[in-house]
Amino acid sequence: MSDRTFRFGAVATPTGTPDEWIATARRVEELGYSSLLMPDGLQLLAPFSSLAVAAHATKALRVGTFVLASPLRPPLGAAWEGHSLAVLSGGRFEFGIGTGRPAVREFAERIGLPFGTAAQRLQQVGESIDHLRELDGSERHTPVLVAAGGPKAIALAAEKADIVTLAAAPLATRDEMAGMVRTLNDAAGARADDIERAMNLFVVGTEVPPWIQGFIGLDAATLIAHDSLVMLRGSTAEMADELRRRRDTFGVSYISVNSAFLEQLAPVVEQLAGT
């Protein structure tokens, strides 16, 4: 379904000293990952400054937001930050944006911004992308990633995004994922082949750390019983075969993974990246 080569991203956030964050970025690059991706929220350090440090500390590693929560910044403000990092990183920045999880409501209220309705938050995503394109002008094209699950978000992503992360529920079936892909392709029309499709892994192997189990609300046994697509398990060869199957079936070639499993996925990255 896709002739794109595989690339991989690691989702991480600085939690220790600056030197530890720099070491993480360099390790991600050393292991062959394409990108270092950072989530968004007031419980974390700010993503743009954190990613600027990571980009400066590495040679070719891409950095990206994964993803900005649209209610936390005015659209022009988000675009301004994204454009600035794209310029200062030498074009190594990926502008990832979405409508935000329910917990973002509290963050928005603390900042003094409205959380808005689902439609308003999605409108902010589109406006942020439009402002970014205006700031980039004709000489630059910052890649835009949109995390999309519902039909309206998929439609917006089909129109405006370069990369679409298929944000299905953890227990979504393969048929449901295939339906999301069909929706994306139908909405994108002639530009469907120009869109890079992505998928995020929460777990590699069969052990689910307590904090990840709390985040997704599911244990390992449940994920395995439902053949969950947020989990990748087996030998290196089996995991590589499974990702090839997902690329053939869903067109997914960009795989992101929580940095807790950075080392576990590294043999698969070594085998598949660029193939």
Side-chain angles (χ1 to χ4, degrees):
M1 184 175 181
S2 173
D3 57 1
R4 288 183 181 270
T5 60
F6 280 109
R7 68 185 183 109
F8 295 83
V11 183
T13 187
T15 56
T17 66
D19 286 345
E20 289 172 330
W21 176 237
I22 288 170
T24 295
R26 290 175 175 167
R27 183 58 176 163
V28 168
E29 183 170 46
E30 178 184 2
L31 290 174
Y33 288 82
S34 169
S35 58
L36 174 62
L37 307 170
M38 187 172 164
D40 190 23
L42 289 183
Q43 79 279 24
L44 309 170
L45 293 181
F48 288 109
S49 52
S50 300
L51 293 171
V53 170
H56 182 68
T58 53
K59 297 177 180 178
L61 185 70
R62 303 189 64 79
V63 297
T65 46
F66 192 74
V67 292
L68 292 180
S70 64
L72 298 187
R73 298 164 189 82
L76 180 55
W80 180 35
E81 294 280 5
H83 171 74
S84 299
L85 186 49
V87 171
L88 293 175
S89 66
R92 289 193 280 142
F93 175 64
E94 297 174 2
F95 184 84
I97 189 166
T99 56
R101 296 171 57 84
V104 170
R105 179 186 295 274
E106 177 188 349
F107 300 151
E109 291 173 350
R110 288 171 61 187
I111 292 172
L113 293 172
F115 183 66
T117 64
Q120 289 169 332
R121 299 196 305 275
L122 189 60
Q123 181 179 351
Q124 287 178 300
V125 171
E127 290 176 357
S128 298
I129 297 169
D130 291 343
H131 284 305
L132 178 64
R133 296 297 184 225
E134 291 170 3
L135 291 171
D136 277 353
S138 60
E139 297 183 0
R140 180 175 300 278
H141 184 90
T142 302
V144 168
L145 179 152
V146 172
K152 293 180 180 179
I154 290 174
L156 182 142
E159 178 187 355
K160 297 180 182 291
D162 303 288
I163 308 160
V164 177
T165 292
L166 300 167
L171 297 185
T173 66
R174 291 176 188 264
D175 285 345
E176 289 169 336
M177 181 65 75
M180 290 177 66
V181 173
R182 287 193 297 271
T183 300
L184 174 64
N185 290 342
D186 290 345
R191 70 181 300 266
D193 289 341
D194 297 330
I195 296 173
E196 184 177 29
R197 292 156 182 80
M199 183 179 291
N200 186 48
L201 299 173
F202 282 102
V203 182
V204 176
T206 57
E207 299 293 328
V208 182
W211 64 272
I212 291 182
Q213 182 171 325
F215 184 76
I216 62 177
L218 299 164
D219 59 15
T222 303
L223 294 174
I224 292 170
H226 287 81
D227 185 29
S228 172
L229 294 171
V230 304
M231 172 182 271
L232 186 67
R233 56 196 171 93
S235 66
T236 297
E238 288 169 337
M239 289 192 288
D241 284 345
E242 169 59 20
L243 291 183
R244 292 189 188 98
R245 177 186 176 189
R246 296 185 190 187
R247 182 172 64 179
D248 291 343
T249 305
F250 309 126
V252 171
S253 59
Y254 187 8
I255 306 296
S256 56
V257 66
N258 189 283
S259 62
F261 300 100
L262 183 69
E263 302 291 340
Q264 289 94 319
L265 192 64
V268 179
V269 174
E270 182 179 11
Q271 185 173 11
L272 290 185
T275 65

